[in-house]
Amino acid sequence: MSTSPTETIVEPAREVAVESKDGSDMSITHTMDFGFIPIPKRLRYDPEKPFHFGLLLNASFGFASTLLDWKRAHNVNDCSFIVANLYYCQPLLSSSILRVSNVGITLIFALLVVEFSHSFNVTYDEVSRIPTLVQAGYAIGLLLISPLGDLVRRRQLVLLLVLMSMTLTIALAITSNLQVFEAISFLIGAVTVTPQILMPLAADLAAPERRAAALSVVLSGLMLGVLIARVLAGVIGNFASWRIVYYMSIGVQCFVLAGAYLLLPDYPAKNRDLTYWQILYSMAKYAVTEPLVVQTALMNIASSACFTAFWVTLTFLLGGPPYYYSTLVIGLFGLVGMLGVLVGPFTGRLIDRLIPWYATLVATILLLVFAAVQVAAGGINVAAVIIACFGMDVARQMQQVSLSTAIFSISASARARLNAILILSLFIGQVMGTSVGTEVFVQHGWRACAVLMMALYGFGFCVLLLRGPHCPRSRWFGYEGGFEARKKLVADKVNECVGDSQAGQNSLEVAPASDTPGSITRNDKEANEVDRLAAKEPATAV
């Protein structure tokens, strides 16, 4: 076994596990899921033949995200078919739907919770707790379950989460007790974090030169799930019992479970030398001591807040003067957002050619421009609203993918934890945008709300400018390293430096030519060692 610093440290073993220096599980080839379910041979991990993360597998990740977030959108109304699982109940709860589309969460506020209140024979106030419980469960799942992607085998984790979600949905569809329904809704929210397991896994499997494109496909699936869940749940709820929506969700999740078993590769576990509590502790340390993580979280909170405020107050704007549109017409604006989502994979290809900082800069400027369009004419001409809807969806998704690409470059062994921090910051922004945006709109009108959005985007723009495109990882401020925007040129320079002195200081999402999917290089080994000692040593950020 070679021990060259830049050589892959994942090595094949069939029966005997030989732990690598970072404590990873890279030396084991598993043949069974959960000890008794055979893994298809083509999906078993072989370090000598890395998995090809092609279009089919990438699309299946996005499709699964759509279906699973669709179930979350069924209970609250958002994401992809997996995330949709959380949102079906929102259209069923409300005759006035307020769509909040982001990394996968559409919050729908119930004004008339007729369907559920009649079914359970309770008051509207009691039923209105359901969306809150689902979102609370989702937050708990992000915090406590999604970091497990850095500790256990992702294939088994995904299969288990989908199976649990499907089982809980069966109970949800047949129960006639509101308290049981609420408890199960909370648990469904907690286990519907599968898309947040798939995002870091996609980053691990994809080649470095197409990582952003892979992430954009998964993220597009999440956002489509939100839109699809809202439309299907609303239509079915108008013509049949609300339970039909959950029965449909059970079928969808069976399909996803079968697809995951047949398509999801068995990627080795990481950080086997860390405990669960050390994983959580190191995640907390990343959130407060890593400059790029803090910068990304602040930008994400600001952008998510104003993006959420836009979609929440859009219903108020279009339902009042001068438009007076019906709920059906307002709902069709979600199709404009869907077109924006479909553009996402193309922007991912562009991001792959750029240093992530520049892609984030372009996306943030575009968000400011489209927010300015809303400020100028959002309450005057519907064309301005359509332009803002489409433009903000495209720009926000571009910003989200570029931020994810940048943050995943920090440590290959900590991508699940880094993604959890990113999504939690997004979640915080959504809560802020919902409450503050609604209050400002009601008290001061649409233009004041649009100005607030511009101010938040401006704040994110200022935060981005604090650190340059090549600022060293340990620096909180500065523009060291120049201004080169093209990834290929930077990669060539890095390879020259590595050839001379092996000084790959990796503040960029740039991998040497030897970096292939499924491999861990010297820089990753150093990051793994930091993770292993995370619970023992104080931060040393400059």
Side-chain angles (χ1 to χ4, degrees):
M1 174 174 72
S2 173
T3 58
S4 172
T6 59
E7 187 172 339
T8 300
I9 64 172
V10 291
E11 301 177 1
R14 293 297 180 260
E15 303 297 336
V16 181
V18 181
E19 287 194 9
S20 59
K21 192 172 182 179
D22 65 349
S24 66
D25 191 22
M26 295 293 183
S27 59
I28 302 175
T29 297
H30 295 277
T31 60
M32 295 285 181
D33 281 326
F34 310 107
F36 66 96
I37 302 176
I39 301 174
K41 288 185 178 181
R42 70 182 186 282
L43 301 178
R44 296 173 186 173
Y45 177 71
D46 185 351
E48 294 180 350
K49 297 179 181 178
F51 296 114
H52 175 60
F53 193 70
L55 180 61
L56 175 62
L57 187 56
N58 199 172
S60 69
F61 274 39
F63 188 65
S65 295
T66 302
L67 290 171
L68 294 176
D69 211 45
W70 170 50
K71 181 182 176 297
R72 183 166 62 95
H74 168 107
N75 290 323
V76 180
N77 202 353
D78 203 22
C79 207
S80 190
F81 294 146
I82 288 182
V83 177
N85 210 22
L86 296 178
Y87 293 94
Y88 296 135
C89 74
Q90 288 184 329
L92 300 171
L93 287 172
S94 176
S95 64
S96 178
I97 298 176
L98 311 178
R99 188 178 77 83
V100 179
S101 172
N102 205 327
V103 117
I105 298 179
T106 300
L107 303 176
I108 298 185
F109 294 88
L111 300 179
L112 297 174
V113 288
V114 177
E115 284 282 341
F116 282 7
S117 61
H118 286 176
S119 181
F120 291 112
N121 194 26
V122 295
T123 65
Y124 296 157
D125 287 340
E126 290 178 280
V127 176
S128 65
R129 295 194 299 261
I130 296 173
T132 303
L133 288 170
V134 175
Q135 294 289 34
Y138 185 60
I140 295 297
L142 286 175
L143 183 64
L144 301 180
I145 297 178
S146 61
L148 286 172
D150 286 337
L151 193 62
V152 302
R153 290 161 56 199
R154 268 75 63 85
R155 174 182 166 89
Q156 286 191 326
L157 181 59
V158 168
L159 292 174
L160 182 61
L161 288 174
V162 177
L163 180 62
M164 292 175 62
S165 179
M166 182 180 67
T167 304
L168 289 169
T169 305
I170 294 173
L172 205 64
I174 63 177
T175 183
S176 58
N177 184 285
L178 179 62
Q179 285 70 38
V180 173
F181 190 94
E182 290 176 338
I184 296 174
S185 295
F186 175 83
L187 293 176
I188 283 181
V191 299
T192 312
V193 293
T194 306
Q196 309 315 328
I197 307 297
L198 295 178
M199 285 281 284
L201 180 56
D204 285 344
L205 293 174
E209 65 273 12
R210 61 177 305 269
R211 187 164 290 150
L215 293 175
S216 67
V217 171
V218 180
L219 184 60
S220 294
L222 287 171
M223 299 178 75
L224 279 174
V226 176
L227 296 171
I228 292 173
R230 178 200 162 186
V231 172
L232 289 181
V235 171
I236 294 175
N238 283 333
F239 298 101
S241 167
W242 60 266
R243 296 183 189 273
I244 297 297
V245 181
Y246 287 95
Y247 294 142
M248 180 178 63
S249 171
I250 295 168
V252 165
Q253 289 177 86
C254 286
F255 178 75
V256 171
L257 184 62
Y261 175 78
L262 295 173
L263 295 175
L264 190 61
D266 184 36
Y267 201 70
K270 300 184 285 187
N271 306 298
R272 294 181 67 221
D273 58 334
L274 295 180
T275 66
Y276 175 67
W277 301 113
Q278 287 175 324
I279 287 286
L280 294 181
Y281 178 70
S282 62
M283 184 173 75
K285 285 191 66 176
Y286 274 120
V288 296
T289 64
E290 192 72 41
L292 180 58
V293 173
V294 175
Q295 180 190 40
T296 300
L298 289 175
M299 289 192 64
N300 215 25
I301 289 173
S303 295
S304 176
C306 49
F307 190 71
T308 299
F310 171 77
W311 282 105
V312 167
T313 59
L314 182 64
T315 299
F316 300 152
L317 174 63
L318 297 178
Y323 302 114
Y324 297 108
Y325 290 154
S326 67
T327 301
L328 176 62
V329 174
I330 294 172
L332 293 178
F333 277 78
L335 299 178
V336 178
M338 189 177 293
L339 291 176
V341 169
L342 295 176
V343 175
F346 298 99
T347 63
R349 298 296 293 174
L350 173 63
I351 296 171
D352 276 325
R353 293 179 172 85
L354 297 174
I355 297 301
W357 188 90
Y358 284 101
T360 305
L361 178 67
V362 171
T364 306
I365 291 174
L366 289 175
L367 287 171
L368 280 167
V369 169
F370 291 117
V373 171
Q374 183 69 7
V375 170
I380 301 173
N381 192 308
V382 72
V385 179
I386 294 174
I387 292 171
C389 286
F390 178 80
M392 284 189 183
D393 265 32
V394 173
R396 175 57 184 147
Q397 187 170 358
M398 181 178 182
Q399 185 189 59
Q400 185 71 24
V401 172
S402 61
L403 290 175
S404 297
T405 304
I407 203 173
F408 284 162
S409 71
I410 293 175
S411 173
S413 65
R415 283 175 177 152
R417 284 165 284 173
L418 294 169
N419 185 67
I421 295 170
L422 188 67
I423 302 304
L424 282 170
S425 66
L426 182 149
F427 192 84
I428 293 170
Q430 288 177 336
V431 173
M432 292 173 52
T434 299
S435 57
V436 176
T438 302
E439 183 67 21
V440 171
F441 187 97
V442 171
Q443 296 295 328
H444 305 286
W446 64 270
R447 181 159 278 148
C449 185
V451 169
L452 173 63
M453 290 166 47
M454 275 201 72
L456 288 171
Y457 284 133
F459 170 77
F461 183 74
C462 293
V463 171
L464 176 66
L465 295 181
L466 292 177
R467 303 179 77 248
H470 305 287
C471 184
R473 172 178 167 179
S474 61
R475 299 286 181 182
W476 290 91
F477 312 99
Y479 279 76
E480 300 177 31
F483 294 90
E484 179 56 55
R486 287 170 294 180
K487 219 179 243 190
K488 187 176 185 302
L489 293 182
V490 177
D492 292 341
K493 293 179 181 178
V494 170
N495 285 331
E496 290 176 6
C497 293
V498 170
D500 294 336
S501 62
Q502 300 206 352
Q505 312 300 19
N506 72 12
S507 64
L508 307 172
E509 176 63 21
V510 177
S514 61
D515 183 15
T516 57
S519 67
I520 297 181
T521 61
R522 180 183 180 183
N523 290 330
D524 290 331
K525 289 171 66 179
E526 294 171 353
N528 293 338
E529 185 66 14
V530 171
D531 293 335
R532 189 178 66 82
L533 299 175
K536 302 176 182 179
E537 298 180 1
T540 57
V542 178

